[in-house]
Amino acid sequence: MNLRQILFGSLNAKLLAILMMVALFSSITIAVMFTIYELNTVTKAEQSRLNSIANILAPNLTAALIFQDEVSAKEQIKPLLDQSNIVSARVEDTEGKAFVGIFSRKNNDIQIFTKLMVVSIPLTMKGVDYGTLTIKADYSLIEQSLIFFSIFLLGILALILILSFILSLFLRKNLIYPLTHLATVAEHVTKTNNYNLRSKVLSRDEVGNLASCFNLMLETIEQRDHSLEEKVQQRTNALKVANSQLTTQAFSDPLSGLPNRRYILDKLSDLITQPSDTHFAILGLDLDGFKEINDTMGHDYGDLLLIDVSRCIADTLPTSATLARLGGDEFIILVENFSSKAFINQIALEIHHRLSSGFSIKNKHVYVTISIGIAIFPDDGNTVENLVKYADLAMYKSKETGRNCHHFFNTIMLEDVLKKRELIDDLRSSLINNEFELYYQPIIDLSTNKIRKAEALIRWHHPVRGMVPPLEFISVAEEVGLIVDIGEWVARTAAQDLAKLKKLGADEHFQISVNVSPIQFKDGGQWMTNWFEYVAGLGLSHDAIIVEITENLLMESEDSVRSQLTKLKKQGVPIAIDDFGVGYSSLSYLQKMDVDILKIDKSFVDDLETKSNSRDLCQIMIMLAEHLSIQVIAEGIENEKQKQILTDLGCQFGQGYLFSKPLPLALFKQKYFDVS
């Protein structure tokens, strides 16, 4: 404990220290002032006394000096030695020579003042100066007087300090003790949280009032504490109920009542951390065509269907399986400790079988199928992320192979995904690296054998893979949105090449068709304004470039896409439907869309020589187009017989290897426009 804590560690110590310090400071100040005053007074008195003695001796000493009576002069100053503080007395003439002098042999113990008090007066008579009397004295008498006075003051100081200490004890009893008692009670309450304690009221002054208020405060806190405990208990019970409800909500799907994504992923994590002999399978499920049901029947039907499907699937599962809904129309099944893959395969088959009978939703019978992907721990993966991803890959494989089936995961699926990702990465840099090129396949007038149109076909010269067929990358480009930039490049390049061909003598009605994707129409139509400005800048009319879209993509497109196609048609841009006859479009839609060109799919042309129904279908399509004033182009003509049959049926244009394979621009110009 340091000095500060000792002096000021408590209120008692602080009060005592303050009183004693005030008393000490006051006493010392007064003592110093009185001491200085006493010293000054005694010094002046002694100085005055010596001056009086010198003045008394001066007349006689002057006479003795005049008559050179040394004996008389010495007798007069000799009595000065009887005084204890006189050190010496000396009479000098006007020239400063000593006439007489005496010296004291006393040895006074001088402790404070070391200098001597000197009194010097002239010896004159009738205005004539005969010499000087000099008396020297020490301060011994002054010191004695000062020491006595100091002892007296010290006694008074001690008395003051004693009285101050007694006063502090009195104040401690009447002022400090009530405060310290109150502080002790408050400290005890703080440490023990016992609000039943009360402080004694030891006085009737402000301190006593403070103690009363403190007791009242404790009483109020005690009452509130009891009330708070009751409320806390009530809220604790309510929180337990709410926590139970939140836990249920956090781990269950609100629509189906099944466990949700969070629950099943946590359970998978727990299973993976168990001993090494643990094995389980997860089945990823996705309803086929659920979006169409939502779009055609409404989301309320879709929700009811999801509830019925989840109940149906749950009823088919063994007790070792857990069904969870991930969201939307996606489900996941966890099967623990199964015996073999055949057991898992049987579960998938049973699910397909149970769903095949369909469901009755608001008196409407709805059929739905499901695609399933299966991954097994630890054979396929050892993390939750990988297992769920691999089950999804297997499920997507089921989607690709016709839906309503199931597949087990294998590494080939993962390799396909990696190849696809690599292909996407390469696609992103293909435009920048100028790896694309347009090839042109002529479209021939079958009646004159002259070229009238050409189809622009994109080719990708990959620096490592070589020539990549469009079938391998167009669908991927559509999936990741790169088809927008690629499609714009195709259209602009085709327009540039057509402008060049016009300068080489191409017929003013010569057209180039470009294939477009509905995704290219997703920007709200701003591209059309940019496209018309670009074509006009090349000196081409709006009908110079034919927009070609496949029949199925046209039918599956959103209304906004079809609306933009209609706007293009109104601006004079020809619209062609590719692969006509293999889709599911209605005849009335053709009239509503007001297309310009139908391209008969190659599959019909291939069978013209061997199947009469193919000829009949081609004839019907040609007659239909003729009735609607639509041009017809037959694709995939490979021999003269096919050409002749189509000519006889009234087909206007043909396209295929019989005339030419797709050619790069340079060869295309050389072959059809006599450019060497």
Side-chain angles (χ1 to χ4, degrees):
M1 184 178 293
N2 56 31
L3 180 61
R4 182 182 179 86
Q5 291 176 324
I6 293 174
L7 294 179
F8 303 103
S10 66
L11 195 59
N12 285 328
K14 290 179 181 178
L15 180 63
L16 178 60
I18 291 172
L19 288 174
M20 297 302 291
M21 289 174 66
V22 169
L24 184 61
F25 177 77
S26 301
S27 300
I28 291 175
T29 302
I30 294 172
V32 169
M33 292 174 61
F34 274 101
T35 301
I36 294 173
Y37 176 77
E38 179 66 16
L39 176 61
N40 187 49
T41 302
V42 173
T43 302
K44 287 182 178 180
E46 184 63 20
Q47 186 79 32
S48 178
R49 187 179 71 85
L50 291 177
N51 283 331
S52 297
I53 294 173
N55 287 327
I56 293 171
L57 294 176
N60 296 327
L61 289 176
T62 302
L65 183 59
I66 293 173
F67 294 104
Q68 294 291 308
D69 187 358
E70 294 181 8
V71 175
S72 175
K74 198 170 187 177
E75 287 294 330
Q76 292 183 43
I77 62 175
K78 187 175 181 181
L80 293 176
L81 295 178
D82 294 335
Q83 299 185 28
S84 61
N85 65 325
I86 299 297
V87 175
S88 66
R90 181 183 177 92
V91 178
E92 296 177 349
D93 57 18
T94 55
E95 295 178 357
K97 294 180 180 181
F99 177 62
V100 291
I102 58 172
F103 299 93
S104 174
R105 295 183 179 180
K106 301 183 181 77
N107 186 18
N108 292 328
D109 189 10
I110 304 301
Q111 298 179 353
I112 301 175
F113 303 98
T114 57
K115 293 183 179 181
L116 297 177
M117 187 181 298
V118 179
V119 176
S120 181
I121 63 173
L123 299 177
T124 62
M125 182 175 288
K126 295 181 179 183
V128 180
D129 188 9
Y130 293 99
T132 303
L133 171 62
T134 301
I135 300 174
K136 294 181 179 181
D138 59 27
Y139 283 81
S140 57
L141 293 179
I142 296 174
E143 276 195 8
Q144 291 174 6
S145 177
L146 189 61
I147 290 172
F148 173 79
F149 187 74
S150 298
I151 293 172
F152 175 75
L153 288 178
L154 287 175
I156 294 176
L157 177 61
L159 180 61
I160 291 173
L161 292 177
I162 292 172
L163 291 175
S164 298
F165 181 75
I166 294 172
L167 178 61
S168 68
L169 295 178
F170 174 79
L171 290 176
R172 178 181 179 276
K173 179 179 180 181
N174 292 276
L175 177 63
I176 304 303
Y177 178 72
L179 288 174
T180 55
H181 173 71
L182 182 60
T184 302
V185 174
E187 182 180 8
H188 191 62
V189 170
T190 303
K191 290 181 178 179
T192 61
N193 290 327
N194 182 9
Y195 299 108
N196 294 321
L197 297 176
R198 297 292 183 270
S199 174
K200 294 179 181 180
V201 181
L202 300 176
S203 63
R204 296 182 180 180
D205 54 9
E206 289 83 353
V207 178
N209 187 38
L210 177 62
S212 299
C213 293
F214 178 75
N215 291 336
L216 182 60
M217 181 183 66
L218 289 178
E219 183 177 352
T220 303
I221 293 175
E222 183 180 9
Q223 293 175 355
R224 290 184 180 178
D225 194 40
H226 289 310
S227 176
L228 182 61
E229 286 181 0
E230 294 177 358
K231 290 183 179 179
V232 167
Q233 186 61 40
Q234 293 174 357
R235 294 190 178 183
T236 300
N237 295 334
L239 284 174
K240 288 181 180 179
V241 174
N243 186 55
S244 176
Q245 294 174 347
L246 287 174
T247 302
T248 302
Q249 293 174 2
F251 291 101
S252 64
D253 174 53
L255 177 65
S256 63
L258 295 173
N260 61 8
R261 175 188 294 272
R262 181 178 178 182
Y263 173 86
I264 199 68
L265 293 182
D266 287 350
K267 187 167 185 178
L268 289 173
S269 297
D270 293 339
L271 287 174
I272 288 177
T273 57
Q274 289 182 4
S276 57
D277 58 347
T278 301
H279 65 285
F280 57 86
I282 58 174
L283 291 75
L285 292 75
D286 188 271
L287 296 183
D288 301 324
F290 180 72
K291 183 178 183 299
E292 287 76 14
I293 294 174
N294 264 342
D295 293 342
T296 57
M297 301 181 68
H299 288 276
D300 53 340
Y301 280 86
D303 290 344
L304 293 174
L305 177 62
L306 288 174
I307 294 173
D308 288 350
V309 168
S310 61
R311 290 173 181 171
C312 180
I313 296 174
D315 291 341
T316 67
L317 299 178
T319 56
S320 61
T322 302
L323 173 65
R325 180 175 176 235
L326 299 182
D329 60 340
E330 296 182 43
F331 298 85
I332 191 170
I333 298 173
L334 167 64
V335 183
E336 302 179 55
N337 300 320
F338 60 92
S339 56
S340 64
K341 280 189 175 182
F343 179 74
I344 303 299
N345 187 69
Q346 187 59 40
I347 291 176
L349 290 173
E350 182 65 20
I351 292 173
H352 290 306
H353 174 70
R354 291 290 297 271
L355 294 181
S356 63
S357 58
F359 302 90
S360 179
I361 308 295
K362 292 185 178 182
N363 298 322
K364 292 184 179 180
H365 205 74
V366 180
Y367 289 95
V368 67
T369 59
I370 200 164
S371 297
I372 303 175
I374 306 167
I376 297 174
F377 175 84
D379 299 347
D380 295 331
N382 55 9
T383 66
V384 174
E385 181 182 3
N386 285 342
L387 288 170
V388 174
K389 179 174 67 176
Y390 295 159
D392 281 343
L393 290 178
M395 184 267 292
Y396 292 138
K397 183 67 175 178
S398 299
K399 294 279 188 183
E400 293 173 359
T401 53
R403 304 181 178 183
N404 194 28
C405 60
H406 62 277
H407 282 84
F408 286 86
F409 170 78
N410 59 59
T411 55
I412 296 177
M413 298 177 184
L414 184 59
E415 291 173 0
D416 291 341
V417 171
L418 295 177
K419 289 179 181 178
K420 182 178 179 181
R421 183 180 300 168
E422 184 179 353
L423 180 65
I424 292 172
D425 292 339
D426 291 344
L427 268 175
R428 295 188 188 280
S429 60
S430 57
L431 279 175
I432 299 174
N433 297 332
N434 296 318
E435 296 173 5
F436 289 121
E437 182 183 5
L438 285 187
Y439 277 41
Y440 294 92
Q441 188 173 29
I443 298 174
I444 304 299
D445 187 332
L446 296 180
S447 61
T448 63
N449 289 324
K450 292 183 178 181
I451 184 172
R452 296 299 183 195
K453 311 176 192 295
E455 181 179 0
L457 301 168
I458 190 169
R459 294 293 184 265
W460 183 11
H461 297 286
H462 193 278
V464 177
R465 302 183 187 186
M467 185 72 76
V468 181
L471 289 177
E472 290 188 18
F473 69 86
I474 291 297
S475 60
V476 176
E478 288 182 324
E479 183 179 339
V480 297
L482 292 173
I483 194 65
V484 175
D485 294 333
I486 294 175
E488 182 179 356
W489 178 87
V490 169
R492 287 177 176 265
T493 303
Q496 293 172 4
D497 292 345
L498 178 57
K500 295 176 183 177
L501 293 176
K502 294 282 187 180
K503 293 179 180 179
L504 294 175
D507 187 87
E508 62 176 336
H509 299 296
F510 184 79
Q511 299 170 300
I512 291 180
S513 66
V514 294
N515 293 279
V516 298
S517 167
I519 298 174
Q520 295 174 243
F521 295 86
K522 294 292 180 70
D523 65 350
Q526 177 60 39
W527 69 274
M528 286 190 291
T529 302
N530 300 335
W531 168 247
F532 292 143
E533 292 177 356
Y534 184 75
V535 171
L538 294 173
L540 300 175
S541 60
H542 289 179
D543 63 350
I545 300 296
I546 302 170
V547 172
E548 190 171 317
I549 188 168
T550 61
E551 182 182 15
N552 285 348
L553 288 177
L554 179 63
M555 300 308 118
E556 293 174 357
S557 299
E558 301 174 357
D559 291 339
S560 61
V561 175
R562 292 192 286 268
S563 174
Q564 291 183 55
L565 286 173
T566 302
K567 291 179 181 179
L568 282 175
K569 181 68 178 70
K570 291 180 178 179
Q571 290 290 330
V573 178
I575 306 297
I577 298 181
D578 196 12
D579 301 334
F580 186 77
V582 298
Y584 48 84
S585 62
S586 65
L587 299 181
S588 61
Y589 187 79
L590 286 179
Q591 186 177 13
K592 185 186 302 182
M593 188 65 210
D594 192 20
V595 298
D596 298 278
I597 300 171
L598 295 182
K599 300 186 75 172
I600 299 175
D601 188 69
K602 183 179 182 299
S603 60
F604 296 101
V605 177
D606 289 342
D607 297 332
L608 282 176
E609 302 172 66
T610 57
K611 295 181 180 180
S612 59
N613 60 345
S614 291
R615 289 194 296 272
D616 293 338
L617 289 172
C618 286
Q619 185 175 10
I620 292 172
M621 286 187 279
I622 293 170
M623 291 175 60
L624 172 65
E626 183 179 357
H627 178 72
L628 297 175
S629 300
I630 298 175
Q631 296 179 357
V632 178
I633 300 174
E635 296 182 295
I637 301 176
E638 297 184 353
N639 56 58
E640 287 290 343
K641 191 171 183 179
Q642 292 173 342
K643 173 191 173 186
Q644 188 60 48
I645 293 173
L646 289 167
T647 303
D648 294 340
L649 292 176
C651 184
Q652 297 167 281
F653 301 99
Q655 178 181 353
Y657 284 3
L658 173 64
F659 309 109
S660 175
K661 293 182 179 181
L663 301 172
L665 180 62
L667 293 179
F668 183 77
K669 291 190 294 184
Q670 182 179 350
K671 183 173 182 179
Y672 292 102
F673 296 96
D674 297 328
V675 177
S676 58

